[in-house]
Amino acid sequence: GMSPFFGDSDVFAAEQKNDIDEAEMKDKKNEVKAEQTIDLEFLIQQKAEFEKEEKRIAKKKAELLAIQEDINKKIVTLTKIRDDIRAEKAKEKAAEEQQFKHLIKVYSAMKPQNAADLIEKLDINLAIKLLSKMKGDNVGKILSFVKIDKAAKISEGLVKRD
C-alpha cells in the first residue's frame, strides 16, 4: 500500500502546480501593469512634446504674420513712392511738352534762315522731332537754308516719323 506520508502526493503535486500557476499569473499581471505604466508615461511624454511643438508652431505663425504685416506696409510705401514718381514724371513730361510747344512757336516765328542756322546746331533727332511738329510750308522754307547733307537726313527722319 501507500505510505501515509506520501498518500496525498498527488494532492501535494497539484497544490504545488497551483502555486506555480498563481505565481506565473502574478508575474504576468505585474508585466501588464508595468507595460501600462510605461505606456502612460510614454503618452504623457508624447503629449508634452506635442504641446511644445504646438507652442513652437504658434510662435512661428505669429512671427510669419508679423513679417507679412511688415511686407504689406512696405508694399503700401513702395506703391506710394512709385505713384509719386509717376506723378512727378508726368509733371516733367507736361512741362517738357509745354517748353517744346514754345520752341516750335519760336522757330515758326523766326526768319527761315535764322531758324536754319539753329537747326544746323541741334541734335539730328531733336531737329526731326521739332520740325515734325511744325507746319509743312515753314519746314520747307527752313530746310532750304540747311546744309544739303543735314537737310537730307532730316527729311529722311521726317518721312520715317510719319
Side-chain angles (χ1 to χ4, degrees):
M2 282 205 214
S3 157
F5 295 113
F6 299 111
D8 294 330
S9 66
D10 287 339
V11 173
F12 180 72
E15 277 181 25
Q16 254 187 337
K17 188 177 180 332
N18 278 348
D19 288 348
I20 289 169
D21 286 348
E22 279 179 33
E24 282 178 3
M25 290 289 280
K26 271 187 183 172
D27 283 350
K28 281 186 181 169
K29 279 183 184 173
N30 285 343
E31 277 178 35
V32 168
K33 272 188 183 171
E35 278 180 31
Q36 285 175 341
T37 305
I38 289 168
D39 282 351
L40 191 61
E41 283 174 16
F42 175 74
L43 289 174
I44 290 168
Q45 184 185 347
Q46 285 290 90
K47 185 176 184 244
E49 284 177 25
F50 283 136
E51 286 171 353
K52 188 177 170 186
E53 185 66 8
E54 276 182 342
K55 282 180 186 170
R56 191 189 67 74
I57 290 170
K59 185 181 175 197
K60 199 58 146 172
K61 186 178 178 183
E63 288 172 6
L64 289 173
L65 286 172
I67 291 168
Q68 180 69 49
E69 196 174 315
D70 190 43
I71 289 170
N72 289 343
K73 283 178 185 173
K74 286 180 178 163
I75 288 171
V76 168
T77 303
L78 290 173
T79 302
K80 187 188 180 317
I81 291 169
R82 183 200 60 203
D83 293 346
D84 290 350
I85 290 170
R86 283 182 178 165
E88 197 58 40
K89 274 190 163 183
K91 265 192 221 170
E92 283 176 18
K93 190 173 182 179
E96 275 178 26
E97 283 176 20
Q98 212 43 50
Q99 290 171 336
F100 197 70
K101 284 179 183 174
H102 179 68
L103 200 57
I104 292 167
K105 282 181 186 172
V106 169
Y107 274 74
S108 296
M110 283 182 177
K111 289 183 179 164
Q113 194 167 357
N114 295 348
D117 291 343
L118 290 173
I119 293 284
E120 289 276 350
K121 293 179 178 115
L122 287 182
D123 169 69
I124 186 86
N125 293 320
L126 180 59
I128 293 166
K129 185 178 174 187
L130 185 66
L131 292 172
S132 72
K133 303 289 183 190
M134 292 172 70
K135 290 185 179 142
D137 54 342
N138 282 355
V139 174
K141 289 175 189 169
I142 293 169
L143 282 180
S144 68
F145 291 102
V146 175
K147 286 182 191 153
I148 288 181
D149 56 337
K150 187 149 187 176
K153 285 180 186 170
I154 289 172
S155 298
E156 239 178 76
L158 289 171
V159 169
K160 286 179 186 169
R161 247 185 115 83
D162 297 337

